[in-house]
Amino acid sequence: MASNGNGEFSFASGNGTVATAANGNGTARNGLAKIQTQKKDNGVCHDDSTPPVKAQTIDELHSLQKKKSAPTTPIKGTQGGAFAVTLSEEERQKQQLQSISASLASLTRETGPKVVRGDPAKQSDTPKVSSHVSHHHHFTPTISVSDSALKFTHVLYNLSPAELYEQAIKYEKGSFVTSTGALATLSGAKTGRSPRDKRVVKDDTTRDDLWWGSGSPNIEMDEHTFMVNRERAVDYLNSLDKVFVNDQFLNWDPENRIKVRVVSARAYHSLFMHNMCIRPTPEELENFGTPDFTIYNAGQFSCNRCTHYMTSSTSIDLNLARREMVILGTMYAGEMKKGLFSVMHYLMPKRQILSLHSGCNMGKDGDVALFFGLSGTGKTTLSTEHNRYLIGDDEHCWTENGVSNIEGGCYAKCIDLSREKEPDIWNAIKFGAVLENIVFDEYTREVDYSDKSVTENTRAAYPIEYIPNAKIPCVGPHPKNVILLACDAFGVLPPVSKLNLAQTMYHFISGYTALVAGTEDGIKEPTATFSACFGAAFIMLHPTKYAAMLAEKMQKHGATGWLVNTGWSGGSYGSGKRIKLPYTRKIIDAIHSGSLLNAKYKKTEVFGLEIPTEVEGVPSEILDPMNTWSDKNAYNETLMKLAGLFKRNFETFTNYKIGKDNKLTEEILAAGPNF
């Protein structure tokens, strides 16, 4: 309040405006009407413009800000009609916490921890012994014989992205909100997967089923060692004041979906899995029950290097009999995603369902295409098209009913990302998305996607609904085309080839691409990379089993196989040029439309590939790679070199019989290069 010297006083209001007192004649000096106030009987002035808030304290006011959204629908399977049993919210939450406590049970103590819902940082969330507190529920096991049993473990259960943002920013160093609203975070010392530290329990369940030995990604461990690591992870999680629990699904096919529980110590991990798994509705969450598979992510805590089978402080352990996965010594979130993919590679074939490391899209007429390809082949780019529906970008199942996406989100590489090249991915990086290990401007929070200061393996994880043309639910009919992508840096594979069934199996098992070695030591030669089934690090069974299932389904449903080279033409890397993306898109368009089936074909030497003589929108001279090389001798030498690499790689699989009479094995071998 201030006086102006004429008997008038001005008052600054809460919204920044100034009201001036009247000078006695009914008007203020500024010409405005005099402000009238109403006095109550006690002579005190009141502001009657709005009704008073229904709170006596600031804490009560804050509690009014959030409304409960707990579902109230009855549990399925209960007796219907007038005798239907509807569990109260309190009973449901008690059952939920009993299930979580059982998941966190120490097997040596045969009991789970005391668990309570809510954030321990909030004073109102602290559990009280008195029974009248009904808005926070906790479960105490009947046996308590350890120090950890004396404390409560707070469970942050299926939090929303907004809640997980708050947790990450407040408690996890290195978490920030970027200019587009995504959550930027760091995965610690490990910025990629650790395949050499992945172990699978070899027991009666897996001894005969899984692929072991030379070339296999499955490194064995025994049951006892798994239990040692499990105990270490569970003890670490139980020692924390709070853990994050996600109950979600895998596989959009409702008949074959898997219930997954993820217990983790970081909000970053919880939000990552919220995005990558299928998010249950409130009604589905009520009926979730016991999970089919559980992940214990104690990645902030290292494993004991003195433990048998351990080769570092990192260990990712799968026990298929127990349906459990333990993560120690790495905070890289991709370990959870790919660990579950390995599980699906084991569980689905047992149901005669083919699990695939592929992208998948569908045309407006219902024609579905599968895209297989290793890193750098353009799988994400070519499977994400504006004029086609995206079913998924990475993991799928092929069932008797068609195809279904395993995941509920996308995990895209971000290095050198631009709005022009990848507009859908660019626009998907918004509120709710997770950005791993990226670099941003400290003031504007704008991300520099070209910066590799932390790692070249920068990633974005976001719900699939963030892609405008995503098909929800993520299911489709049987595929019409199976497209195998290879980035051939040797420059000898044709831009497109039509494959017969045996050739499709051969190239599917081979999983070929070629990468260019690093230039820091002057190496310029391309390096061949083979990954069985285009995802050797994740498969559990022998590659020929997946190949046989693929061939059977392709034959049954009339799908055509294609080999598309997105790499070099006119010479190897360094002398030739990469095939232009618009040309590759024209080839893919011709495959989708069916026009390429009607083209004229000729056969190449050595690999015996059928190549079209013309494709609309593509120069005919590049369709035969020999035509693009000025030095024909160099072409032949390079072709023979690549053929030799294919043969040498396939020696790993030649001793494995497919079918009762081994006829299919012979056909596959004959489909490879001949020289």
Side-chain angles (χ1 to χ4, degrees), residues 561-610:
W562 305 90
L563 179 64
V564 174
N565 175 22
T566 62
W568 271 254
S569 177
S572 298
Y573 175 84
S575 59
K577 293 182 179 180
R578 187 151 192 185
I579 298 170
K580 293 180 179 179
L581 180 59
Y583 293 161
T584 302
R585 287 196 183 278
K586 287 289 185 182
I587 289 169
I588 299 298
D589 289 343
I591 291 173
H592 290 323
S593 69
S595 63
L596 208 51
L597 284 173
N598 302 319
K600 293 181 179 179
Y601 287 85
K602 66 177 184 179
K603 202 169 188 177
T604 66
E605 296 180 357
V606 183
F607 278 90
L609 299 170
E610 296 282 340

Side-chain angles (χ1 to χ4, degrees), residues 408-429:
C410 302
Y411 193 36
K413 282 191 172 183
C414 289
I415 194 66
D416 295 325
L417 178 69
S418 68
R419 189 195 300 269
E420 294 72 30
K421 291 181 180 179
E422 302 284 359
D424 286 343
I425 296 176
W426 179 278
N427 293 327
I429 300 174

